[in-house]
Amino acid sequence: MKDTKEILEVCSEFFNTKNIKEIKEITTGNINETYVIKFEDCKYILQLLNSHVYYSPIGVMNNTRLILDHLRKKCIYEGKNPHRTVLNFIKNRYNQDLAIVNNEYWRCCEFIDDAYSLNREISINEFYEIGKAVGNFQVLLSDFTPNVLDDSIRHFHDTRYRFERFKEVVELDKFNRVKECLPEICFIFQRQSKFDIITSKLEKGIIPKRVTHNDTKASNILLDNEKQRYLCLIDLDTVMQGSLLYDYGDALRYGASVCSEEETDISKIDINLDLFKSFTKGFLEELRPSDNPKDITKEEISLLCDGFWIITIELGMRFLHDYLDGDKYFRKDEKRIKHNLERARNQLQLVLKLEESFEKMKIIINDLLDELDYPKYYKIG
Ligand code: GN1
Ligand code: MG
């Protein structure tokens, strides 16, 4: 957390600081620093972009602006309130999206009131709504050309590439931590042959490259307080070209586990198949094919469970990588030396559980395809 004086200096780029009533930090994100700035009648979100993670904060904001302009146009067309269903960034006094203060990049957007996002305890109906939100994001961006977007983080969901880097940190063992993580390292190595299951198909054009959010955990999706319906996806920093399987998988990784990703007692970790079903139902309902060349494809449907698997093992590997590399990437509790190792163990246990549930999940998907009147050839064999 920055001290108040520093925050006020940044605020002065956007506001008359004399009118600020309160400044509060939000600590749920693992990457950026986020603050709520309260005035008498309105609130804003002020965010410091992590320039260790994003090599080009300007590129991130360019992507964000392009995406938001597209989404705003669609939502206005549909008669939806663009102040609730799209993020609205405000410019600083010099009419710039980013304020650069002491070489750090800050941005500011309107706070969406009467809305919430979920860190834990997701109900069946809420997860169904989240499935719809993630599916609808694909629908809204299906006519946006993905290759005008920069890669805000190169190789972000290239699991094979990440594995190559992971092998390097294991080899180097700079912090002498490998010895306590051998079972986890073996677990990852044993599964390496499957790491290009999605990237190889993207490269060969077997599945399409689409605009994807890439970080669809429930805490990045806003729901309306009163109606409990989805409003929008937030945290658009990693919107890039990718596969919709990443968005499907990451949302399930976070939301279909019976425990939070911060749970340290891994014996409690399991998959809640009712939640899996409700999310998948919302997602597939939004993506119902409509004879459009951009429709979800049969190949994508056949890989849905693999998307869940790959994103979960990848994050387990990323947490473990960070632990072996001296905790440089994810924000962690400073008092917990093994925080990232514990997070890795949590994700890898979830991988084990989901491997046990693969067949059941496929049956659920096939039943939903029938229920939602998908053409028969979409069925997973
Ligand atoms: C990070 O920024 P945040 O907290 O929404 C991370 C995601 C991980 C997530 C795990 C840019 O997301 O990839 O899935 O933590 N974002 C980045 O909680 O690395
Ligand atoms: Mg993020």
Side-chain angles (χ1 to χ4, degrees):
M1 160 120 193
K2 301 270 177 203
D3 62 41
T4 314
K5 196 169 148 256
E6 262 179 287
I7 309 264
L8 282 173
E9 189 186 346
V10 178
C11 283
S12 71
E13 290 265 327
F14 294 94
F15 309 109
N16 178 350
T17 52
K18 283 197 207 110
N19 297 330
I20 294 175
K21 299 283 178 229
E22 195 188 342
I23 298 175
K24 244 169 75 181
E25 191 185 13
I26 299 182
T27 52
T28 42
N30 291 331
I31 304 295
N32 298 324
E33 273 183 43
T34 309
Y35 301 88
V36 181
I37 312 296
K38 277 194 193 171
F39 291 90
E40 183 147 350
D41 293 323
C42 54
K43 286 183 235 165
Y44 293 88
I45 292 281
L46 182 73
Q47 203 166 42
L48 169 63
L49 271 168
N50 183 327
S51 37
H52 171 67
V53 168
Y54 302 109
Y55 73 97
S56 166
I58 293 171
V60 168
M61 270 323 275
N62 281 341
N63 281 358
T64 305
R65 192 176 339 95
L66 289 170
I67 294 293
L68 288 175
D69 286 350
H70 189 88
L71 294 175
R72 190 171 302 106
K73 211 178 284 170
K74 294 256 162 127
C75 114
I76 291 172
Y77 182 77
E78 295 298 335
K80 292 185 179 169
N81 180 349
H83 291 280
R84 291 186 67 67
T85 55
V86 188
L87 283 182
N88 289 287
F89 281 91
I90 59 162
K91 295 192 189 278
N92 72 355
R93 290 194 289 164
Y94 313 105
N95 211 28
Q96 300 295 316
D97 286 318
L98 286 167
I100 306 172
V101 181
N102 303 325
N103 277 326
E104 293 187 308
Y105 292 79
W106 294 80
R107 65 182 174 197
C108 186
C109 71
E110 290 175 8
F111 184 95
I112 300 180
D113 242 325
D114 302 317
Y116 66 106
S117 68
L118 289 149
N119 296 323
R120 237 14 264 164
E121 294 302 319
I122 307 176
S123 72
I124 295 283
N125 185 57
E126 285 167 332
F127 210 32
Y128 164 74
E129 277 298 317
I130 289 172
K132 282 174 81 76
V134 176
N136 186 249
F137 187 78
Q138 279 302 322
V139 174
L140 294 174
L141 291 165
S142 60
D143 55 347
F144 184 99
T145 313
N147 57 16
V148 304
L149 299 172
D150 272 341
D151 276 351
S152 48
I153 300 176
R154 293 200 184 101
H155 305 287
F156 190 55
H157 285 318
D158 183 343
T159 318
R160 160 70 49 195
Y161 176 89
R162 286 195 178 273
F163 179 64
E164 294 306 320
R165 305 288 80 73
F166 176 72
K167 283 199 293 196
E168 289 166 8
V169 292
V170 172
E171 186 84 10
L172 215 58
D173 194 14
K174 226 162 130 186
F175 295 84
N176 198 20
R177 288 176 169 179
V178 162
K179 60 180 183 306
E180 57 179 318
C181 316
L182 287 175
E184 290 77 19
I185 294 170
C186 285
F187 185 94
I188 291 169
F189 269 70
Q190 278 160 2
R191 286 158 177 79
Q192 57 175 298
S193 66
K194 269 187 77 186
F195 288 168
D196 56 5
I197 188 160
I198 292 174
T199 39
S200 68
K201 295 193 174 64
L202 275 175
E203 277 157 21
K204 291 182 194 141
I206 298 170
I207 52 172
K209 283 191 181 153
R210 302 182 185 267
V211 180
T212 44
H213 180 283
N214 293 307
D215 190 7
T216 45
K217 57 182 185 182
S219 57
N220 282 334
I221 294 161
L222 289 188
L223 303 177
D224 182 275
N225 273 353
E226 194 192 333
K227 299 184 190 131
Q228 298 200 350
R229 296 262 166 79
Y230 76 86
L231 290 169
C232 58
L233 271 61
I234 56 173
D235 189 1
L236 301 170
D237 301 341
T238 50
V239 174
M240 286 178 270
Q241 293 190 71
S243 165
L244 62 71
L245 300 163
Y246 301 149
D247 286 359
Y248 176 80
D250 196 50
L252 285 168
R253 174 196 70 70
Y254 189 84
S257 169
V258 299
C259 298
S260 119
E261 62 179 26
E262 294 293 343
E263 176 60 59
T264 51
D265 179 357
I266 61 165
S267 70
K268 290 189 191 155
I269 291 173
D270 209 344
I271 298 195
N272 179 329
L273 287 175
D274 293 329
L275 283 170
F276 171 84
K277 181 175 175 183
S278 65
F279 174 87
T280 305
K281 181 172 178 187
F283 182 79
L284 291 178
E285 208 170 275
E286 289 294 317
L287 288 170
R288 232 189 299 235
S290 58
D291 269 336
N292 181 317
K294 297 290 170 64
D295 282 346
I296 188 164
T297 66
K298 176 184 164 49
E299 286 71 26
E300 287 172 312
I301 297 267
S302 74
L303 289 164
L304 288 173
C305 297
D306 298 288
F308 183 4
W309 183 87
I310 200 90
I311 288 290
T312 311
I313 194 154
E314 181 187 279
L315 187 61
M317 179 162 70
R318 290 173 61 197
F319 282 139
L320 193 56
H321 180 126
D322 202 27
Y323 180 67
L324 296 175
D325 198 28
D327 305 302
K328 297 193 179 79
Y329 188 94
F330 293 102
R331 223 140 75 103
K332 64 182 263 297
D333 181 342
E334 288 312 320
K335 288 182 248 79
R336 287 168 57 191
I337 297 166
K338 295 181 198 285
H339 194 167
N340 278 317
L341 174 58
E342 285 161 354
R343 284 166 162 165
R345 287 183 172 144
N346 173 313
Q347 294 300 301
L348 297 179
Q349 181 67 12
L350 188 61
V351 169
L352 201 64
K353 289 292 168 180
L354 89 87
E355 285 171 351
E356 289 167 15
S357 306
F358 242 73
E359 287 315 307
K360 284 189 199 139
M361 294 193 297
K362 283 189 176 165
I363 293 170
I364 293 173
I365 294 174
N366 272 339
D367 288 348
L368 284 170
L369 293 172
D370 277 341
E371 191 184 321
L372 297 169
D373 283 331
Y374 271 63
K376 289 278 171 274
Y377 64 86
Y378 272 96
K379 281 280 195 65
I380 309 174

